[in-house]
Every structure is written in structure tokens, then in C-alpha cells.
Amino acid sequence: MSTKPLAIIAGAGTGTGVSIAHRFSRAYNVIILSRSSASIDPVISAVEASGGAAYGIPTDVSSEASVTAAFKAIKAKYPGSPTAAAVFNAGSWNRAPFLETALDDWERVLGIQGPVTRGAGSRGAFLFSKATIPLLLESKHLEYPPTLIFTGATASVKASANFTAFAAGKWATRALSQGLAKEFGPQGVHVSHAIIDGIIDVPGTKEWTFDDEDAKISPDAVSLVSPNIRDRRGELTVGHGKIADAYWHLHTQPRTTFTWELDVRPYVEKW
Amino acid sequence: MSTKPLAIIAGAGTGTGVSIAHRFSRAYNVIILSRSSASIDPVISAVEASGGAAYGIPTDVSSEASVTAAFKAIKAKYPGSPTAAAVFNAGSWNRAPFLETALDDWERVLGIQGPVTRGAGSRGAFLFSKATIPLLLESKHLEYPPTLIFTGATASVKASANFTAFAAGKWATRALSQGLAKEFGPQGVHVSHAIIDGIIDVPGTKEWTFDDEDAKISPDAVSLVSPNIRDRRGELTVGHGKIADAYWHLHTQPRTTFTWELDVRPYVEKW
Amino acid sequence: MSTKPLAIIAGAGTGTGVSIAHRFSRAYNVIILSRSSASIDPVISAVEASGGAAYGIPTDVSSEASVTAAFKAIKAKYPGSPTAAAVFNAGSWNRAPFLETALDDWERVLGIQGPVTRGAGSRGAFLFSKATIPLLLESKHLEYPPTLIFTGATASVKASANFTAFAAGKWATRALSQGLAKEFGPQGVHVSHAIIDGIIDVPGTKEWTFDDEDAKISPDAVSLVSPNIRDRRGELTVGHGKIADAYWHLHTQPRTTFTWELDVRPYVEKW
Amino acid sequence: MSTKPLAIIAGAGTGTGVSIAHRFSRAYNVIILSRSSASIDPVISAVEASGGAAYGIPTDVSSEASVTAAFKAIKAKYPGSPTAAAVFNAGSWNRAPFLETALDDWERVLGIQGPVTRGAGSRGAFLFSKATIPLLLESKHLEYPPTLIFTGATASVKASANFTAFAAGKWATRALSQGLAKEFGPQGVHVSHAIIDGIIDVPGTKEWTFDDEDAKISPDAVSLVSPNIRDRRGELTVGHGKIADAYWHLHTQPRTTFTWELDVRPYVEKW
């Protein structure tokens, strides 16, 4: 159905991205912008396995040309479809003593260079916002207010030693989300920022162990179709409220009740 | 059914309290602690009209004796029932130039004296926490993690001129919620704080008008049974995500994904 | 000289209080409000040893009657003297698991009961503000804008497990300081809040040892006259900028350049 | 005297920069990094008129090559001189509806392109930090701990509609300062961030008028030598504590008492 609304997700290569895609695909056609087919394909499989539709576009969200091409492809694929939601979930990462941080690292984390999975940072967030806000402004007639959500981290509110560049990119993105919330909220677009505080339970962190059960945030509800993303005890997690459910809750808030920011963390997290 | 879990709500006299009671009564027997029968009766009517059960206990939550008596009454009424959720929604209010603020006003707002609706403040929040946390700690076997939610306001994070005493009570309560979240989160109890930024659309604020539709937060989903709490356009609001839905979402978060704080405001709110 | 301006300091029993008294006594007659003669006498000795004048009044700043009596005594002692500065440095302290915190503890920390050194909290801060602001409003003709400074702590911005009650009192006091800054700043009174993050190097913490030199904040510049308050290496610290110097800097800021809040911590402090 | 310590100031073209240069020149040889001779010359004149020494190097602090060349020139000019203080005072500015903000604007504000006075942003802050921290680490034997201070703004903590890009650059710079404070504080380098909240009284804001006297922050103490920077009433401001005095106070704090952040604003500022 070509006029089913769209949910456009940048950075779907992580467990959180897969989970968000899965959750939003219950209501919308999902578009995945991610660097490589390798990260896109599992998302599409997961969504289709539960009866949804997803369409992936290899994209470097830190490249203006790549983003422009991606949104042209979306329009060609789904002409006339309104955009109900957009999620910026692309991440950058940097851990280094400051004096070993090169300008290239700084700019990569601030979003100037490099692939999505390494350097989406604030430039990617800027380009994604520029591309999606005009689409969201046209979608105020849908069931829920059009929504733009950014995935943040503890580093979005706290700069730690050896994570200075990483934090700078995260703080810039949080500022972006707050400025957009104030500018476009009164125009009916809901802009949110989620601070994910804790280790997300995805394959990349599997080697990190904890004494407590449930010590990591479980990002998703797709264990059945994507066994790598089960929680660490190997139990199924379908049906529980998770990060993706929090994002969906944000999306369904009416314009009388917009949340700009919430934090989520595992119950054992020290903070 | 005597072993159906309980939701205990302090300060149900406002539109937000009615709405929370109504939402939580879909799953739980609701206990209302409020100062007078006049504020309790409409809540019970609203809950019962939609098939739920509510039990009201006139209580001054700023009085240790009154709170003790209330929880004794709860135990007598529902022996053996676990407590699934507790919501502290009692409010204090004070607007005055500082030099016209008497010690009695300060203490009332900090929660030392006076009726629930005028002076629950941080003392009420303390007494309510002391009474409910032991009950919540025994409820970890239920479907959702046991939950304690506090209703905050913009004044919880910002002290304005002429609202100094009000802010002091709100900041103290927010500190309470954060300390409890850190102490009891690892024990499986979910403690949250919701910052309600904006004018809640209840009768007391009806005379405040705005240029925009939906300019006030609509607290509830019970317009059919409580016509005074319809939104200002007089339209029905049933089925929309509202403050009470946000509280319910918090309650349903699994322990892998606890939110301590979120803000909510109408889309037109300046911030 | 009876018309020399006054600096009124509450809670001068700690090293920080002694140091502030000493620093401000270079320009003003100092009034010390503290619970007992035992805490007042060393301050007076320290001030007088360096040529200043100090006058102590045993006061329970959490008691309205005691505060009223103290300010009546100040007026009798120094008729016609303007008040240049007031510092609220009285502290409360509480460390306890929440469920072991009695209402009395809560109220003591929020400032309702008990002696100054144990329970000044927010009630003391309120009473001290009410007593000093009218005096400060009459002192705008002095060399520096009249100033009211509150001593805060890390707990003023962060509530930790087992410090919930302590944090509640500190957050309330910080709210008080912010509301007062906004209300009385435009009237020419400078209200500030200093967040002291770290262990202050006073006798009570002498048994706490650290690997690093200078690991504790040195509160003062009075080592010569008060050997107990030398820094832990036993070296003299006269002439260095310290907490008291920061307070003095705040006091000397012109009304074009008011600081509401600053943090101070030892260089080795983790934060 | 070639081994007199150095104070290196980036962005000295504004009133604040001139004032800081003037203040620090009482103790140090001052180096000015600014885009053009036009902005450098008045600083040098002001410093020399009061008996100090200043050396200007036209620099684009957002260019790695330009910054490298500047520090090579400093070393050639003052071989063997330790660096006592570094101040990053270069500013970027952008006010535009988000959808009219081009990627070039975003990157300029984040610090990627353009002249110092328009686009130093976070890239300039990064490059300046990389260049100065190694010098500061070698200066721990001086009278005061070596110090790196960043000039922030209200936009450093609050992103407003139409100032989104500006805020993103400011938040990134504040994150940088916090990460550096945590990493290099324990190594003895004092890193601070000053939030300047209000309109600074420099020629560029002369046309903004206010009802209150002293409504703008007066940045300096050099009215006698730089008449353009008198306060708006045309009165002399020499001798008052000003922004530069706050920076100097930060610099003189001993390592037992480091302030990371303070805010300054005129007494009439609404906040």
C-alpha cells in the first residue's frame, strides 16, 4: 500500500535500530538508512518475518550528497506516502586520551567524515533533520503527531575523561534536538531525545559480563527472528516494554503532552 | 477480587489524579488518598463507571498519623493484595514575594502543615515513600516491576522569582525521587519523576485562555464520565496518550529499561 | 567603629566558616551566628589575632525566635551599621538507608528541628534569608553590591543512595538561592550559591587520608592563628586563593557581572 | 624579559578579549591570536599603554595549519617562556530558522570553516586545546596552577529556537571543557568554563538600549585607554571586578580549590 505512512530510521545497524524498525513496522512502512547492506539485510528480514515491510538504502548520513540521494530514492519508492516518524539512531564512538585525539577523530565524531557507523555524529543528525523536518511538517493530519527522535547516551549530558570528543558530538546533537523541539513543537512536530544510560545488550557487548541478571538494556522484541539479539540469559523478551516501546510511546503522545527527553537505564546501573 | 494488585494514589483530587486513577484501574484496584470526600467521590464514580474498583481514604499525607492510619485501612480492606504501583500526585502551591512569605508558608510548602491539597510538599512525599516502598519491595513477582511515580512541575528544575518556596518543596521532592531511584532501582523497584511543564486543563485553570488549540495539557481520558475535565474545546479525548498514559508507560517498563525522569508539555509551551 | 559595614555569617563552626569570617573581617565587622560558644570562640580569636573584629551570638538558625533575637542583638551592638554581606554556611548532614530515616531525621535535615550544626538545612536558610535580605536591600550605597552567599555541596545537585534526606535539604536550599537571585538581583542584591565538591580539610575529616597531596579543599588562610586548620601537609597556606577567596570574589563582583553559582573541588576529585 | 610566563588568548577582538588581555598583562606577556591586525592592534595598544607587553599573531583558529604556525611563532618569539594561562574567547554566531541553516552554516558554527570571528566554534576550541595543554602541563611550577578558560554563553546550556546551530557549537565546546577538566585537573591543569549570560557592552551592541543602568555586562577595566569600551553611561569602569577579574580569580585558584564553571550576568538579566 503505497500511501501507508513511513518511518525513516537512520543507523539501523545496531540492536536498538533493529528493534525500533520492528516496532514501528507494525504501523508503518519502514525505511532503513544504514551504511552497508550487511547491516540493512537483517533488519529487513526481521521486519518481514513479522509481516511488516522495510526498505533499505545504503547511506552515509554524514554526506550531504548521500542523504540527498537517499531521500530522492524514498520519494521514488513511496510516492505520496506521508512520513509519520523519523529516528536518528546513528552513532559515533571515540575513546582516547585527549592528546592522542587527532583532528580527524574530532571531526569524525562531530560528524564530518567517515562511515555512518563510525562517524554520524552531529553532522549526520543535522543532515537527517534537514531532510526529515519538511516531510514531518506535511504529516500533521496523521493519527499521531509527526515525530523526530534522537538516540542519546550518558555522554550526552556528561563529558568524561578520555571521552571528550565523543561527548562533544553527543552534546551538540542534544542541543540540536532541543532547539528543534522548541522551533517545531509549536508547529506540531514532536522532537524528542532519549538518553540511553547503560550497556545495550547487542553482540558487540556480549563479552561484557555482570553479576546481575538483566544488567544490560534489552533493546528489542525480536528475539524470535534475530537470535543474536536475545537477552543474555537466552530468554525470550517478546512483549516487554523496551527501548523501542519507549520510542513508540513518545510517538503516540498527543500534542497536548509532548515529552522532549527521557532517560532509560538498567535497574542495576550506577548513576 | 481481594488479591488483585493495588495502585495507591495520593492527591487524586486534580484532573491528573482522576486520570491516573482511571488509567491504572484497568489493571488494578485503586486506592485514593485525598483530603476530603469531595475530592474522592468523583474519582470513585469515574473509575466505577468504566468497570473498575476504587476505594478512597480521606488522608492528610503531611501527617504521619494520618498516613499510618490510611495504610492500616488499606491492609484491612485488601488483605494479602500486593501493591503494584504508587503515585504521589499531591501538590502544594505558593506564589508570593519572598519577603511576604511567612515561615508557615515555607513549612506548608515544604510539607509540614496544612491540608493535602495545599501543603503535601516534600513531607507528604517522604511519608508516602516510607509507607509504600516496603509494600513495593514485596511485589517483584508481578507482571511489571513495582513502581513509584512522583508528579513534578517546571518549578522542580527552575526556581522563579515569587515562587521560591514552591520551588524549594519541588526541588526537595525531586531529590527524594532521585535518591530513591538509586537506592531501590537495584532492588527492583522503579522510581520515576515526571516534570509536568504547562498548565493542566482542569477546572481551576479554565479561566486562563490561549490563542492556540490544545494549549493546555489534557490530563485524562475520562471525559465521558467527568465532563468537567474535557479538554477546552469540549471535544472528547478518550483514546489519546495523555499524562496518565505516560505514567502507565513508565509502570510497564521492564527492569532492563527504567526511566527515572521525563518531561511533558503542550506543544505551544515556551521553554 | 560602629558604622563599619557588617558581614553576618551563619554556621561559622567549621573550617570554612572560620576562613570566611577571617577573610571578610579584613573589610567588615564580622558577626558569627553559631550554636555554641565552643564554636564561636575560635573564630573570634582568629579574627582578632589578625586585627579584625568579630562578635558571636549563640543562635539556633532553625528557630525563628532564636534568629529574631540574634538580629535584635546585632542591631543593638552595631546601631546604624549597614550589612555588606551575609553568608549561610550552616550545615546539616544525614547518611542513612531511606527506610531507616525517621520523619524526625527528614525534618531535621529539611531544617525543622535540632541544633544548628546538625539541622540548619533549608529552614535555617529560609529564616536567615528573611532576616538578612531587608538589611542588604538598604546597603546598595556601599563599595560592593550587598551579597548573600549560600554554601552548597555535591549533594545540592545530585541525590545519592543513602543520602536522600540530606540531598532534599540541599536541593531545597539551592532552589531558595536561585529564586532569591532572580527576585533580588534586579533590586541590586547579589545572591550566590557555591557548590563545594569534595572533602573539606577540617579536623573532622582528618582521619580520611588520600594518596595525593592537596586532595582536600583547604578552606582558609588562617593557619598561623588556628593551627588545627592548616592543610594536611602541615604547610602554611596563607596568601593562596581558597574557598573564602572565592566568596570574597563573589562579593566584589559589580552588578554588571553577578555570578549566581560556581563549583569548587580539589584537583584530584572524581566527578 | 624572555622567561616571563605567557598568557595566550584566542579571539581577542571583542571587548571581553581586550579586557582579559589587559588584566593578564599585569602578570604575563600576552599573546593575541585573532583573525586580523585590525582586531589585534587595539589590544596591543591597550596593553602597552598600561605598561604591559602583548604580541599579536593573525590566526584562523579553525585552521590546523594556521594554529600550528601560530604556536611555532610563539615559541620563536618567547623561547623558554612557560605558559601560565590560555583563554579561548573566540566566538561563532548564527541566528536563523533551522530550515534556512545551510550545512555550511552548521559547519562554520561547529568550527569547520570561516574566519575566527565568525566561526571558531568547537573546532577552534579543539585545536587551541590541543596546542595549549602540552604547554600548560609543563608549567606546574609557576605561582598559580596553569589554567585554560573557555568563554561560553547562555546558549552553552540552553538551545533556543532559531539558535540551534549556534547552541550546538556552544554545547560541544562546553563538553570539551568538562572532559578536559576531568582529564587534566588531576594532572594539575585547571580547566574552566564561564557562561556569560547577557549582552556584553561592546560597540557591536551599542544600539541595544535598556531601561536600567548597568544593564549590560561591562567586560573590562581599560576605559581609559580604549574609550570605545566604556560602559554605556560613558562613565569610567576602572577598578571594578568584571569578567576579566572573574577569569583572573579562576586563574589564581590553587589546586585544592578548582572551579570548573561559573555563570555571570548583569543584575537586570531575566533568567
Side-chain angles (χ1 to χ4, degrees), chain B residues 52-80:
Chain B
Y55 177 59
I57 305 171
T59 310
D60 175 356
V61 298
S62 69
S63 156
E64 190 166 31
S66 181
V67 170
T68 300
F71 280 84
K72 191 171 175 184
I74 293 170
K75 192 173 180 179
K77 172 77 177 179
Y78 294 107

mmCIF file of all heavy atoms in Angstrom, chain B residues 52-80:
data_model
loop_
_atom_site.group_PDB
_atom_site.id
_atom_site.type_symbol
_atom_site.label_atom_id
_atom_site.label_comp_id
_atom_site.label_asym_id
_atom_site.label_seq_id
_atom_site.Cartn_x
_atom_site.Cartn_y
_atom_site.Cartn_z
ATOM 1 N N GLY B 52 -14.139 -0.322 36.831
ATOM 2 C CA GLY B 52 -13.050 -0.563 37.764
ATOM 3 C C GLY B 52 -13.507 -0.441 39.204
ATOM 4 O O GLY B 52 -14.690 -0.168 39.481
ATOM 5 N N ALA B 53 -12.561 -0.666 40.110
ATOM 6 C CA ALA B 53 -12.871 -0.543 41.533
ATOM 7 C C ALA B 53 -11.912 0.443 42.174
ATOM 8 O O ALA B 53 -10.698 0.373 41.961
ATOM 9 C CB ALA B 53 -12.747 -1.893 42.222
ATOM 10 N N ALA B 54 -12.464 1.361 42.955
ATOM 11 C CA ALA B 54 -11.630 2.336 43.657
ATOM 12 C C ALA B 54 -12.127 2.483 45.087
ATOM 13 O O ALA B 54 -13.313 2.333 45.374
ATOM 14 C CB ALA B 54 -11.674 3.692 42.955
ATOM 15 N N TYR B 55 -11.201 2.752 45.965
ATOM 16 C CA TYR B 55 -11.515 2.865 47.389
ATOM 17 C C TYR B 55 -10.814 4.106 47.906
ATOM 18 O O TYR B 55 -9.596 4.261 47.743
ATOM 19 C CB TYR B 55 -11.016 1.607 48.112
ATOM 20 C CG TYR B 55 -11.207 1.599 49.608
ATOM 21 C CD1 TYR B 55 -12.486 1.721 50.180
ATOM 22 C CD2 TYR B 55 -10.117 1.438 50.450
ATOM 23 C CE1 TYR B 55 -12.653 1.698 51.567
ATOM 24 C CE2 TYR B 55 -10.269 1.402 51.836
ATOM 25 C CZ TYR B 55 -11.540 1.543 52.383
ATOM 26 O OH TYR B 55 -11.694 1.517 53.748
ATOM 27 N N GLY B 56 -11.581 5.014 48.480
ATOM 28 C CA GLY B 56 -10.992 6.271 48.911
ATOM 29 C C GLY B 56 -10.822 6.352 50.417
ATOM 30 O O GLY B 56 -11.673 5.859 51.171
ATOM 31 N N ILE B 57 -9.729 6.960 50.830
ATOM 32 C CA ILE B 57 -9.463 7.144 52.254
ATOM 33 C C ILE B 57 -9.081 8.607 52.480
ATOM 34 O O ILE B 57 -8.014 9.039 52.045
ATOM 35 C CB ILE B 57 -8.314 6.227 52.735
ATOM 36 C CG1 ILE B 57 -8.621 4.767 52.395
ATOM 37 C CG2 ILE B 57 -8.086 6.405 54.237
ATOM 38 C CD1 ILE B 57 -7.459 3.819 52.643
ATOM 39 N N PRO B 58 -9.959 9.348 53.155
ATOM 40 C CA PRO B 58 -9.585 10.735 53.453
ATOM 41 C C PRO B 58 -8.296 10.761 54.270
ATOM 42 O O PRO B 58 -8.221 10.138 55.338
ATOM 43 C CB PRO B 58 -10.785 11.257 54.258
ATOM 44 C CG PRO B 58 -11.929 10.384 53.838
ATOM 45 C CD PRO B 58 -11.316 9.021 53.616
ATOM 46 N N THR B 59 -7.293 11.437 53.753
ATOM 47 C CA THR B 59 -5.963 11.388 54.357
ATOM 48 C C THR B 59 -5.278 12.744 54.230
ATOM 49 O O THR B 59 -5.362 13.390 53.191
ATOM 50 C CB THR B 59 -5.082 10.341 53.604
ATOM 51 O OG1 THR B 59 -5.794 9.109 53.501
ATOM 52 C CG2 THR B 59 -3.762 10.121 54.325
ATOM 53 N N ASP B 60 -4.590 13.125 55.293
ATOM 54 C CA ASP B 60 -3.679 14.261 55.214
ATOM 55 C C ASP B 60 -2.275 13.675 55.068
ATOM 56 O O ASP B 60 -1.683 13.224 56.043
ATOM 57 C CB ASP B 60 -3.784 15.105 56.485
ATOM 58 C CG ASP B 60 -2.756 16.244 56.516
ATOM 59 O OD1 ASP B 60 -1.928 16.322 55.580
ATOM 60 O OD2 ASP B 60 -2.795 17.038 57.465
ATOM 61 N N VAL B 61 -1.759 13.652 53.848
ATOM 62 C CA VAL B 61 -0.480 12.962 53.647
ATOM 63 C C VAL B 61 0.693 13.668 54.305
ATOM 64 O O VAL B 61 1.791 13.107 54.356
ATOM 65 C CB VAL B 61 -0.159 12.720 52.148
ATOM 66 C CG1 VAL B 61 -1.206 11.826 51.513
ATOM 67 C CG2 VAL B 61 0.023 14.013 51.410
ATOM 68 N N SER B 62 0.458 14.876 54.812
ATOM 69 C CA SER B 62 1.544 15.536 55.540
ATOM 70 C C SER B 62 1.538 15.184 57.024
ATOM 71 O O SER B 62 2.386 15.666 57.779
ATOM 72 C CB SER B 62 1.460 17.062 55.352
ATOM 73 O OG SER B 62 0.323 17.578 56.013
ATOM 74 N N SER B 63 0.591 14.346 57.428
ATOM 75 C CA SER B 63 0.506 13.915 58.829
ATOM 76 C C SER B 63 0.912 12.451 58.951
ATOM 77 O O SER B 63 0.319 11.571 58.329
ATOM 78 C CB SER B 63 -0.934 14.085 59.333
ATOM 79 O OG SER B 63 -1.181 13.221 60.423
ATOM 80 N N GLU B 64 1.932 12.205 59.767
ATOM 81 C CA GLU B 64 2.397 10.828 59.921
ATOM 82 C C GLU B 64 1.281 9.927 60.450
ATOM 83 O O GLU B 64 1.094 8.809 59.986
ATOM 84 C CB GLU B 64 3.603 10.797 60.870
ATOM 85 C CG GLU B 64 4.301 9.451 60.914
ATOM 86 C CD GLU B 64 5.680 9.535 61.576
ATOM 87 O OE1 GLU B 64 5.859 10.396 62.471
ATOM 88 O OE2 GLU B 64 6.566 8.753 61.195
ATOM 89 N N ALA B 65 0.503 10.438 61.397
ATOM 90 C CA ALA B 65 -0.574 9.633 61.973
ATOM 91 C C ALA B 65 -1.641 9.320 60.922
ATOM 92 O O ALA B 65 -2.149 8.194 60.831
ATOM 93 C CB ALA B 65 -1.205 10.367 63.155
ATOM 94 N N SER B 66 -1.957 10.299 60.114
ATOM 95 C CA SER B 66 -2.983 10.104 59.101
ATOM 96 C C SER B 66 -2.527 9.092 58.054
ATOM 97 O O SER B 66 -3.296 8.234 57.615
ATOM 98 C CB SER B 66 -3.332 11.458 58.456
ATOM 99 O OG SER B 66 -4.338 11.310 57.489
ATOM 100 N N VAL B 67 -1.264 9.195 57.658
ATOM 101 C CA VAL B 67 -0.736 8.247 56.663
ATOM 102 C C VAL B 67 -0.700 6.836 57.241
ATOM 103 O O VAL B 67 -1.085 5.867 56.578
ATOM 104 C CB VAL B 67 0.669 8.702 56.189
ATOM 105 C CG1 VAL B 67 1.334 7.617 55.357
ATOM 106 C CG2 VAL B 67 0.552 10.000 55.395
ATOM 107 N N THR B 68 -0.265 6.725 58.504
ATOM 108 C CA THR B 68 -0.232 5.410 59.147
ATOM 109 C C THR B 68 -1.634 4.789 59.188
ATOM 110 O O THR B 68 -1.825 3.606 58.865
ATOM 111 C CB THR B 68 0.334 5.540 60.575
ATOM 112 O OG1 THR B 68 1.652 6.071 60.496
ATOM 113 C CG2 THR B 68 0.364 4.188 61.277
ATOM 114 N N ALA B 69 -2.591 5.597 59.545
ATOM 115 C CA ALA B 69 -3.974 5.106 59.610
ATOM 116 C C ALA B 69 -4.468 4.676 58.233
ATOM 117 O O ALA B 69 -5.160 3.650 58.085
ATOM 118 C CB ALA B 69 -4.892 6.187 60.191
ATOM 119 N N ALA B 70 -4.110 5.442 57.223
ATOM 120 C CA ALA B 70 -4.566 5.122 55.867
ATOM 121 C C ALA B 70 -4.036 3.766 55.415
ATOM 122 O O ALA B 70 -4.776 2.946 54.854
ATOM 123 C CB ALA B 70 -4.129 6.228 54.899
ATOM 124 N N PHE B 71 -2.745 3.526 55.668
ATOM 125 C CA PHE B 71 -2.179 2.261 55.205
ATOM 126 C C PHE B 71 -2.683 1.077 56.032
ATOM 127 O O PHE B 71 -2.761 -0.051 55.528
ATOM 128 C CB PHE B 71 -0.652 2.346 55.133
ATOM 129 C CG PHE B 71 -0.210 3.046 53.874
ATOM 130 C CD1 PHE B 71 -0.155 4.439 53.801
ATOM 131 C CD2 PHE B 71 0.076 2.325 52.716
ATOM 132 C CE1 PHE B 71 0.188 5.090 52.626
ATOM 133 C CE2 PHE B 71 0.426 2.971 51.530
ATOM 134 C CZ PHE B 71 0.484 4.357 51.493
ATOM 135 N N LYS B 72 -3.055 1.345 57.271
ATOM 136 C CA LYS B 72 -3.696 0.296 58.068
ATOM 137 C C LYS B 72 -5.062 -0.036 57.461
ATOM 138 O O LYS B 72 -5.444 -1.212 57.360
ATOM 139 C CB LYS B 72 -3.841 0.797 59.510
ATOM 140 C CG LYS B 72 -4.249 -0.269 60.506
ATOM 141 C CD LYS B 72 -4.144 0.285 61.938
ATOM 142 C CE LYS B 72 -4.682 -0.737 62.946
ATOM 143 N NZ LYS B 72 -4.668 -0.155 64.321
ATOM 144 N N ALA B 73 -5.753 0.987 57.032
ATOM 145 C CA ALA B 73 -7.068 0.781 56.413
ATOM 146 C C ALA B 73 -6.945 0.018 55.086
ATOM 147 O O ALA B 73 -7.784 -0.830 54.758
ATOM 148 C CB ALA B 73 -7.758 2.132 56.190
ATOM 149 N N ILE B 74 -5.882 0.335 54.334
ATOM 150 C CA ILE B 74 -5.667 -0.375 53.068
ATOM 151 C C ILE B 74 -5.468 -1.859 53.323
ATOM 152 O O ILE B 74 -6.057 -2.721 52.660
ATOM 153 C CB ILE B 74 -4.431 0.205 52.325
ATOM 154 C CG1 ILE B 74 -4.721 1.640 51.873
ATOM 155 C CG2 ILE B 74 -4.057 -0.671 51.138
ATOM 156 C CD1 ILE B 74 -3.491 2.385 51.337
ATOM 157 N N LYS B 75 -4.668 -2.146 54.342
ATOM 158 C CA LYS B 75 -4.366 -3.547 54.669
ATOM 159 C C LYS B 75 -5.631 -4.287 55.114
ATOM 160 O O LYS B 75 -5.822 -5.466 54.783
ATOM 161 C CB LYS B 75 -3.295 -3.597 55.756
ATOM 162 C CG LYS B 75 -2.698 -4.967 55.962
ATOM 163 C CD LYS B 75 -1.518 -4.906 56.927
ATOM 164 C CE LYS B 75 -0.902 -6.295 57.129
ATOM 165 N NZ LYS B 75 0.248 -6.234 58.048
ATOM 166 N N ALA B 76 -6.469 -3.581 55.850
ATOM 167 C CA ALA B 76 -7.713 -4.196 56.323
ATOM 168 C C ALA B 76 -8.689 -4.431 55.169
ATOM 169 O O ALA B 76 -9.368 -5.452 55.102
ATOM 170 C CB ALA B 76 -8.373 -3.299 57.383
ATOM 171 N N LYS B 77 -8.714 -3.494 54.259
ATOM 172 C CA LYS B 77 -9.645 -3.590 53.131
ATOM 173 C C LYS B 77 -9.205 -4.647 52.127
ATOM 174 O O LYS B 77 -10.028 -5.386 51.582
ATOM 175 C CB LYS B 77 -9.734 -2.225 52.453
ATOM 176 C CG LYS B 77 -10.497 -2.185 51.145
ATOM 177 C CD LYS B 77 -11.999 -2.214 51.341
ATOM 178 C CE LYS B 77 -12.739 -2.092 50.002
ATOM 179 N NZ LYS B 77 -14.191 -2.138 50.159
ATOM 180 N N TYR B 78 -7.900 -4.710 51.866
ATOM 181 C CA TYR B 78 -7.379 -5.629 50.851
ATOM 182 C C TYR B 78 -6.274 -6.510 51.441
ATOM 183 O O TYR B 78 -5.108 -6.402 51.036
ATOM 184 C CB TYR B 78 -6.825 -4.861 49.654
ATOM 185 C CG TYR B 78 -7.867 -4.094 48.873
ATOM 186 C CD1 TYR B 78 -7.941 -2.709 48.950
ATOM 187 C CD2 TYR B 78 -8.767 -4.763 48.039
ATOM 188 C CE1 TYR B 78 -8.874 -1.995 48.213
ATOM 189 C CE2 TYR B 78 -9.707 -4.052 47.299
ATOM 190 C CZ TYR B 78 -9.760 -2.677 47.396
ATOM 191 O OH TYR B 78 -10.692 -1.987 46.664
ATOM 192 N N PRO B 79 -6.614 -7.377 52.399
ATOM 193 C CA PRO B 79 -5.568 -8.213 53.000
ATOM 194 C C PRO B 79 -4.922 -9.104 51.941
ATOM 195 O O PRO B 79 -5.605 -9.724 51.131
ATOM 196 C CB PRO B 79 -6.335 -9.027 54.032
ATOM 197 C CG PRO B 79 -7.755 -9.014 53.578
ATOM 198 C CD PRO B 79 -7.968 -7.705 52.894
ATOM 199 N N GLY B 80 -3.615 -9.126 51.936
ATOM 200 C CA GLY B 80 -2.899 -10.001 51.014
ATOM 201 C C GLY B 80 -2.724 -9.470 49.608
ATOM 202 O O GLY B 80 -2.049 -10.096 48.786
#
